[in-house]
Amino acid sequence: MERDIRAGSRFLQARVLRVLVVGGIGFILQTVIFEYLGIYLKVLSPSTAVILGAEVGVLTSFFLNNRFSFGDLQHSTLPLGKRLIRFHIVVSGSLSIQWIFMFVTQHVTTNFLILHAAYVSGVVVGFITNYAGYRHWVWKHHESPI
């Protein structure tokens, strides 16, 4: 029994690690868009650039998580489109947090370091809520209604 618990724990840790790696890829894409359009070129406000970059990261993360992080789970009863909608609902909380952090910060200061601290803080806070939503709602095995 103890052996089963350890194996289950390692599997959970591996899943969390896969979600972190996929989230890291999404974060890099979001950051490049945020930095380039919101900070460097100043074509968009930082809070708008966060949302645009986040959507690119969200779509990338969804398809990578679907394939690599949660591909072993049986979720064939829930169509891909519905999982994508659920994914967007889950990450909307994280995106709201990121946007609020940036919106408030950009109205208080234009300090480069403080803007980036707000950006990273929003992403970190969002990851915590995202993982729980991914595991327990987006990629949860859903039985077909009878």
Side-chain angles (χ1 to χ4, degrees):
M1 175 127 173
E2 184 178 327
R3 186 175 177 183
D4 291 341
I5 292 171
R6 276 189 258 138
S9 176
R10 281 193 300 267
F11 188 73
L12 176 61
Q13 290 171 352
R15 185 179 314 283
V16 170
L17 182 59
R18 289 189 304 256
V19 170
L20 271 169
V21 168
V22 167
I25 293 168
F27 174 74
I28 289 169
L29 290 170
Q30 178 181 357
T31 301
V32 167
I33 291 169
F34 165 73
E35 290 289 335
Y36 193 68
L37 297 178
I39 302 297
Y40 180 69
L41 291 179
K42 297 182 182 180
V43 194
L44 301 172
S45 71
S47 57
T48 302
V50 159
I51 295 300
L52 179 63
E55 184 58 24
V56 171
V58 163
L59 291 172
T60 302
S61 293
F62 173 79
F63 289 108
L64 290 175
N65 273 318
N66 193 60
R67 174 72 173 102
F68 297 109
S69 302
F70 298 98
D72 63 314
L73 299 179
Q74 292 205 349
H75 42 65
S76 59
T77 59
L78 191 65
L80 184 69
K82 286 187 179 181
R83 281 195 309 274
L84 180 59
I85 290 168
R86 285 179 179 220
F87 190 82
H88 269 88
I89 291 169
V90 168
V91 299
S92 67
S94 174
L95 297 180
S96 297
I97 290 167
Q98 291 176 39
W99 183 83
I100 289 167
F101 278 36
M102 287 308 305
F103 184 79
V104 169
T105 304
Q106 78 187 22
H107 283 83
V108 172
T109 185
T110 58
N111 181 285
F112 181 82
L113 292 176
I114 295 173
L115 284 170
H116 284 82
Y119 174 70
V120 171
S121 298
V123 169
V124 169
V125 170
F127 177 81
I128 296 165
T129 59
N130 284 352
Y131 181 77
Y134 298 165
R135 179 67 182 97
H136 298 292
W137 195 49
V138 178
W139 283 285
K140 178 181 179 184
H141 177 64
H142 299 276
E143 297 297 327
S144 295
I146 296 175

